[in-house]
Amino acid sequence: MTSSLKRILIIVGVILFAVIILYSFFGGKYNSMVLKQEEVTSQWAQVQNVYQRRMDLIPNLVNTVKGYANFEKETLVQVVEARAKATSMNVNAENLSPEQIKQFQGAQDGLSSAIGRLMVVVEKYPDLKANQNFLELQAQLEGTENRIAVERMKFNDVVKLYNQYIRQFPNNILSGMYNFQTKGYFEATAGAEKAPNVAF
């Protein structure tokens, strides 16, 4: 084997080795970004799932309360309107920008506020407070609110990991090339640090 042939084989070997290393690096980073993005998407679906559970409970709650003739109709209308607004707010998992999350959260907070006002008004109706259907719905609603809090926390955790990963060097360069965008977080509602004065 001539020395020029050896040189050519060495050069080809070095080039192939470099291509394999680069492919492994870029492919591995891309696959990690896809995996983390899918974790965010999966957790977003779970957040929507628990919010949907709350949406499904509200008509039953409204119908149970509506049976009490003297009950304030305005409060029920507010709950129904807030539910309609929250239901109409859809956020695609691929566009979980901070602005979209904030709009979604605003609609959901409006519904939470309307439900809170409904529960305060219920205090004036001892028969309704003792109604077994109402008590069961209230317990389911409280359980759902707890699930929402847990799933939102899990969502924020996976978003944090995803955002950190795509913003670290050299991933930030690759994420820009591959069009991976940072995702938004759920944030505490303004005034949430103050405990509400609501009695059930």
Side-chain angles (χ1 to χ4, degrees):
M1 194 181 286
T2 66
S3 63
S4 63
L5 184 58
K6 282 184 184 178
R7 239 181 281 141
I8 291 172
L9 287 176
I10 290 172
I11 291 170
V12 168
V14 168
I15 290 171
L16 281 175
F17 182 73
V19 167
I20 290 170
I21 294 295
L22 286 173
Y23 178 78
S24 297
F25 174 76
F26 282 96
K29 294 291 184 182
Y30 179 82
N31 290 339
S32 293
M33 288 179 199
V34 168
L35 178 68
K36 291 184 182 313
Q37 187 177 50
E38 286 302 314
E39 288 172 356
V40 170
T41 301
S42 173
Q43 189 55 44
W44 177 249
Q46 190 55 31
V47 167
Q48 288 182 311
N49 181 37
V50 292
Y51 274 118
Q52 184 61 50
R53 177 178 163 75
R54 179 171 74 168
M55 296 292 179
D56 294 344
L57 287 172
I58 291 171
N60 294 332
L61 182 68
V62 168
N63 286 334
T64 300
V65 172
K66 201 187 295 184
Y68 286 77
N70 296 331
F71 198 83
E72 286 92 340
K73 303 287 187 233
E74 181 182 336
T75 306
L76 290 176
V77 168
Q78 289 173 351
V79 170
V80 171
E81 287 175 354
R83 180 184 182 269
K85 183 178 179 184
T87 305
S88 70
M89 183 67 211
N90 290 319
V91 178
N92 186 324
E94 293 183 17
N95 186 25
L96 294 173
S97 67
E99 297 79 23
Q100 288 289 321
I101 295 290
K102 191 171 186 175
Q103 287 177 355
F104 180 84
Q105 183 176 351
Q108 296 299 332
D109 288 349
L111 180 56
S112 295
S113 177
I115 292 170
R117 287 191 298 276
L118 174 70
M119 294 303 178
V120 168
V121 172
V122 163
E123 287 298 307
K124 300 177 188 175
Y125 298 87
D127 290 346
L128 177 57
K129 283 180 16 182
N131 178 293
Q132 190 60 39
N133 284 343
F134 177 78
L135 292 173
E136 287 175 15
L137 286 167
Q138 183 181 10
Q140 287 183 35
L141 196 57
E142 289 170 0
T144 300
E145 293 297 332
N146 290 335
R147 288 183 186 142
I148 287 170
V150 167
E151 297 304 334
R152 282 172 47 153
M153 184 182 70
K154 288 180 183 176
F155 175 80
N156 281 352
D157 288 345
V158 296
V159 166
K160 177 183 174 187
L161 293 173
Y162 167 81
N163 285 346
Q164 284 176 338
Y165 188 78
I166 68 167
R167 293 178 66 208
Q168 292 173 341
F169 181 81
N171 300 349
N172 59 344
I173 296 167
L174 301 175
S175 65
M177 287 172 41
Y178 298 139
N179 200 27
F180 285 91
Q181 305 292 322
T182 57
K183 308 292 185 186
Y185 294 96
F186 280 102
E187 298 176 3
T189 307
E193 67 280 358
K194 299 174 190 164
N197 187 14
V198 178
F200 290 109

